[in-house]
Amino acid sequence: MISIAQAAVSAGEHAQSSGGLPQFDASTFSSQIFWTVVSFAVLLYLLKNYVIPPINDILDARGKEIAEDLEKAKKAREDSESTLAKYRQELAAARQEASRILDQARAESNRLTEAAKIDLEQDLAKRKSAALEEIEQAKRTAMNEIKSSAVEVAMEAAEKLIGKSVTKTDANKMVEQAIADLEKDQMRAFH
Amino acid sequence: MIQMIATAMAAETAYAAGAAPKMDPLHHFQVVKYVPLELFGYDISISNSVVWMWIAVAAVMTFFHYGLRDKGRVPGRMQSLAESGLLFVRGVVKEIVGAEGARFFPLIFTLFFFVLFCNLVGLIPGSFTATSQLVVTGTLAGAIFIFCTLLGFYKHGAHYLKFFVPSGLPVALLPLMVPIEIISYLARPVSLSVRLFANMTAGHTVLAVLFFFTATLPWFGAWLPFGFSVVFTAVEIFIGFIQAYIFTILTCVYLNDALHMH
């Protein structure tokens, strides 16, 4: 090591004494030419065989992957677009269906209202007639009761008056006669 | 490798200790031979320049090692850096050379990272900047020049000579224009190598001067060059990137000329 250093020192002094740029010292040319060529060739060999191919592989793989991803993305976009179109179509159909159902419901409800109204009217009319009937019935019953009680009263009265019993049939006849007369009188009074 | 760095730094320290306190801004560019070697009579000694070239290569590989350690689809920070480094160079090649440039991509990629990391590791205190050596940048630029020229002739045959004949020019101007075109073509490796070398050399020289003043001025004066040296180190990091980028771009331009003839 030391001898090399000494050689270096002496070489340096030698160059200095000769003057000029050390680069023009022709004694160093042949070795530098030789080793430049060798070093360059070695580096070329190493780079060409061990550096450029793997980097190219990486770049190619990445490029391929990016192209595939782009293709995938394009496909996904197309898919989503068709899905969107389908969805929109379904939405429109659903909307149409909904409005159809709504119309139907509206019509149905109108119909039901109408029917209910008619039912109600019929019911009311029926009830009214039933009520009238009942009133009529009650009236008739009352009349009959009054009639029968009137016959009895008339019978008793006649017994007391004429002292002889009157048969029920006779009494009835008489009462009816009386009622008919009464009604006649009433009618007359009306007119 | 660690031992290499230690050796290189020890040599630097020893040199600095032995030197008298006089300004020597060019010391950083001094090539020091560590291990003398010879091949077919040529000197191929391992010097600090060579060691720091190797360290730059190792740094590039370390950078990518950490970038690719946990590689995943979702990148981590280091992986993002490694990827963006590759994409950056790929973008430059694609933009300037076009689709045909893909075959030469590893070459351009290596060139960019080699120059970039030589520039950057050179900024470590006590290190050496291989790209501040004209012979290193000249080797790269010359190789690129020869490669592109051969590629041009291989691709177009003798047709490539038409490169020196600008189209749509009056014949009378040709004797003037063809030499200019040839000279500008031949000047390419020179400008390519000198640009990088000069940028690195100038930057490090300025830093060395600033460091010298910081070390030698009394405390009330030292803060000024010290502050400048901090700012200028940041500028040097930026220049390291820019010069690597320019070197790469121009190489792509030359490559494109060879492939497509303008």
Side-chain angles (χ1 to χ4, degrees):
Chain A
M1 183 89 75
I2 290 169
S3 65
I4 290 171
Q6 278 169 347
V9 171
S10 62
E13 278 165 357
H14 168 74
Q16 234 168 305
S17 61
S18 67
L21 274 176
Q23 282 97 323
F24 297 127
D25 178 5
S27 70
T28 67
F29 282 6
S30 58
S31 84
Q32 291 199 76
I33 291 171
F34 177 78
W35 287 114
T36 300
V37 171
V38 170
S39 305
F40 188 87
V42 168
L43 186 62
L44 177 62
Y45 173 80
L46 291 175
L47 290 181
K48 194 176 177 176
N49 288 292
Y50 300 108
V51 170
I52 295 173
I55 295 183
N56 274 336
D57 286 351
I58 292 168
L59 293 175
D60 289 350
R62 191 177 303 143
K64 208 172 132 196
E65 203 161 292
I66 289 171
E68 273 169 14
D69 283 354
L70 279 177
E71 195 59 37
K72 247 184 249 168
K74 204 174 140 195
K75 210 171 154 249
R77 195 200 158 100
E78 276 165 9
D79 279 359
S80 69
E81 267 168 4
S82 76
T83 308
L84 186 67
K86 215 169 106 187
Y87 165 78
R88 280 206 179 120
Q89 216 172 354
E90 270 169 16
L91 196 67
R95 220 171 248 154
Q96 218 169 2
E97 176 76 5
S99 80
R100 196 183 63 75
I101 289 172
L102 201 63
D103 284 349
Q104 209 176 13
R106 207 170 274 143
E108 178 78 6
S109 93
N110 280 343
R111 198 180 62 72
L112 282 178
T113 312
E114 212 57 41
K117 219 164 148 189
I118 289 164
D119 270 3
L120 189 63
E121 274 170 8
Q122 279 173 349
D123 195 34
L124 283 177
K126 218 181 274 171
R127 272 195 208 177
K128 193 177 163 191
S129 64
L132 285 175
E133 184 81 14
E134 224 167 278
I135 290 167
E136 199 60 33
Q137 190 76 32
K139 201 171 148 191
R140 257 202 304 275
T141 316
M143 287 279 249
N144 284 342
E145 268 173 19
I146 288 169
K147 215 190 268 174
S148 65
S149 63
V151 168
E152 265 166 41
V153 169
M155 271 163 61
E156 269 172 37
E159 237 173 52
K160 272 178 192 165
L161 278 176
I162 54 179
K164 88 175 206 202
S165 76
V166 182
T167 61
K168 205 167 183 178
T169 338
D170 289 339
N172 263 345
K173 248 181 226 163
M174 277 152 63
V175 168
E176 272 178 15
Q177 186 63 49
I179 287 168
D181 288 348
L182 207 63
E183 280 175 350
K184 249 183 224 162
D185 284 350
Q186 266 178 349
M187 298 275 254
R188 227 173 276 141
F190 266 128
H191 290 291
Chain B
M1 186 55 74
I2 298 292
Q3 207 190 343
M4 289 270 194
I5 302 174
T7 313
M9 286 193 168
E12 295 285 323
T13 315
Y15 176 86
K22 60 176 177 175
M23 192 153 70
D24 180 17
L26 303 181
H27 154 247
H28 176 77
F29 312 114
Q30 194 63 53
V31 177
V32 181
K33 285 174 187 168
Y34 296 152
V35 184
L37 279 178
E38 254 191 34
L39 185 74
F40 307 125
Y42 289 102
D43 172 44
I44 55 159
S45 301
I46 293 167
S47 58
N48 51 356
S49 173
V50 174
V51 168
W52 282 96
M53 234 180 263
W54 293 349
I55 290 171
V57 169
V60 174
M61 290 316 291
T62 309
F63 171 72
F64 283 111
H65 170 75
Y66 279 103
L68 294 171
R69 195 173 45 171
D70 310 308
K71 52 186 166 190
R73 297 271 165 84
V74 181
R77 290 178 185 175
M78 285 306 287
Q79 193 186 326
S80 290
L81 267 181
E83 282 176 11
S84 52
L86 184 131
L87 287 174
F88 171 71
V89 180
R90 188 193 271 175
V92 169
V93 173
K94 207 172 187 178
E95 194 181 321
I96 296 177
V97 189
E100 256 183 290
R103 277 173 56 209
F104 305 100
F105 171 72
L107 195 72
I108 307 291
F109 186 69
T110 308
L111 192 67
F112 176 73
F113 277 95
F114 185 73
V115 172
L116 176 66
F117 274 74
C118 278
N119 292 350
L120 290 183
V121 297
L123 284 168
I124 299 167
S127 73
F128 186 89
T129 318
T131 42
S132 72
Q133 297 292 311
L134 181 58
V135 66
V136 173
T137 62
T139 304
L140 293 174
I144 291 162
F145 176 75
I146 293 167
F147 178 76
C148 288
T149 307
L150 290 180
L151 185 70
F153 279 112
Y154 171 76
K155 186 112 180 147
H156 305 286
H159 226 63
Y160 190 57
L161 288 173
K162 266 201 166 173
F163 189 78
F164 303 114
V165 187
S167 56
L169 211 66
V171 183
L173 274 177
L174 283 183
L176 185 68
M177 286 308 292
V178 171
I180 289 177
E181 287 286 328
I182 290 173
I183 288 168
S184 79
Y185 188 78
L186 294 176
R188 280 176 170 188
V190 179
S191 71
L192 191 60
S193 56
V194 168
R195 183 182 300 106
L196 181 56
F197 142 77
N199 265 285
M200 290 300 116
T201 302
H204 284 270
T205 307
V206 170
L207 276 178
V209 171
L210 288 172
F211 290 150
F212 176 79
F213 281 129
T214 307
T216 53
L217 282 179
W219 64 268
F220 52 85
W223 63 270
L224 196 63
F226 173 69
F228 271 129
S229 73
V230 171
V231 173
F232 208 79
T233 303
V235 173
E236 272 301 298
I237 293 173
F238 178 67
I239 288 175
F241 275 100
I242 287 288
Q243 287 305 319
Y245 177 56
I246 291 174
F247 205 88
T248 311
I249 280 207
L250 286 174
T251 304
C252 287
V253 168
Y254 301 158
L255 197 62
N256 181 47
D257 284 347
L259 287 171
H260 304 121
M261 295 186 68
H262 288 292

